């Protein structure tokens, strides 16, 4: 993709319980460890900090402080089509969900973005509780990697691993959507 850079994109809002903080700390840790990656990574956050001006301030401050401004771009809002184009031009899609959205009453909150990501057919880096609904969907459709959302070391290692595969041209998505299609229809019927 973009001039040989590995592009990681998150699309969606940030807010209470859903912060890019752990991911950014992991990114920072990784760049301390492997400074040569600095010129080869690009991170896009597409979406606003909904109802969380404090979180936004904190995150922007951290990006500056950790010297990540050359890598991380915050794009507050994009029309749906342009956001989709950015997802499709990415190498890795970052998924961060509130832990409680793994429960069923929040099922739809999860799946709208999860399905968007799945249909983009790009490898997903999912910072999710591994027992949740979204994690199960990603596992079953072979769509990406699931990492504990607060484990900075594990997140750093997973970014590094996916980046390594990107470098040798082996970071492909092998998403299998046949079960997911069935599953989604069954689920919708059930909900109705």
């Amino acid at each position: 993709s973009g001039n040989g850079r590995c592009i990681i994109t998150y699309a969606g809002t940030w807010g209470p319980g859903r912060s890019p903080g752990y991911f950014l700390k992991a990114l920072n840790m990784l760049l301390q460890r492997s400074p040569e990656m600095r010129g080869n990574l690009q991170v896009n956050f597409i979406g606003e900090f909904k109802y969380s001006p404090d979180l936004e301030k904190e995150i922007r401050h951290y990006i500056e402080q950790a010297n990540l401004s050359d890598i991380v771009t915050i794009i507050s809002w994009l029309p749906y089509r342009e956001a989709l184009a950015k997802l499709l031009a990415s190498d890795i899609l970052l998924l961060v969900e509130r832990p409680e959205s793994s429960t069923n009453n929040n099922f739809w909150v999860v799946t709208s973005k999860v399905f968007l990501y799945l249909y983009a057919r790009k490898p997903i880096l999912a910072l999710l509780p591994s027992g949740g609904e979204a994690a199960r969907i990603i596992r079953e459709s072979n769509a990406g990697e699931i990492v504990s959302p607060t484990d900075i070391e594990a997140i750093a290692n997973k970014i590094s691993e996916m980046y390594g595969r990107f470098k040798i041209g082996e970071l492909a998505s092998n998403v299998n959507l046949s079960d997911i299609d069935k599953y989604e229809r069954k689920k919708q019927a059930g909900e109705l």
Side-chain angles (χ1 to χ4, degrees):
S1 0
N3 16 321
R5 281 174 130 194
C6 180
I7 301 172
I8 303 175
T9 301
Y10 169 90
T13 55
W14 298 111
R18 189 195 282 128
S19 158
Y22 290 103
F23 172 81
L24 289 171
K25 288 193 175 111
L27 184 62
N28 189 29
M29 175 190 274
L30 186 58
L31 293 170
Q32 307 286 333
R33 238 176 9 207
S34 316
E36 73 282 358
M37 285 177 70
R38 180 167 281 280
N40 296 312
L41 276 180
Q42 181 186 327
V43 176
N44 301 312
F45 291 159
I46 304 171
E48 53 188 342
F49 285 80
K50 236 182 163 64
Y51 322 120
S52 299
D54 293 348
L55 176 63
E56 179 165 13
K57 232 181 268 154
E58 186 188 314
I59 292 300
R60 286 184 186 273
H61 178 69
Y62 182 79
I63 289 172
E64 234 161 86
Q65 203 192 346
N67 197 17
L68 296 172
S69 310
D70 54 333
I71 295 178
V72 180
T73 307
I74 296 176
I75 306 163
S76 304
W77 185 82
L78 274 182
Y80 181 76
R81 275 208 164 143
E82 283 173 44
L84 195 55
K86 275 233 186 280
L87 288 178
L88 294 173
S90 303
D91 302 293
I92 297 170
L93 304 184
L94 176 65
L95 184 66
V96 182
E97 287 289 5
R98 291 201 291 279
E100 67 269 21
S101 57
S102 59
T103 58
N104 256 344
N105 56 351
N106 257 331
F107 186 82
W108 295 108
V109 180
V110 175
T111 49
S112 58
K113 188 190 308 154
V114 173
F115 283 118
L116 177 64
Y117 275 21
L118 288 174
Y119 286 110
R121 283 191 154 80
K122 299 283 174 174
I124 297 169
L125 171 57
L127 310 187
L128 292 173
S130 65
E133 196 70 22
R136 188 168 75 80
I137 293 170
I138 289 165
R139 263 198 306 275
E140 283 181 4
S141 57
N142 194 24
E145 308 282 348
I146 294 148
V147 189
S148 163
T150 55
D151 187 338
I152 293 166
E153 178 80 36
I155 297 168
N157 291 340
K158 193 53 79 177
I159 299 170
S160 174
E161 181 197 305
M162 291 177 90
Y163 172 78
R165 280 190 276 147
F166 164 81
K167 277 316 250 190
I168 56 172
E170 285 182 6
L171 184 67
S173 169
N174 309 305
V175 180
N176 169 14
L177 295 177
S178 58
D179 290 348
I180 294 302
D181 283 335
K182 281 199 299 261
Y183 173 79
E184 195 187 13
R185 275 197 292 274
K186 206 164 72 197
K187 182 78 194 170
Q188 280 171 332
E191 292 282 320
L192 296 173

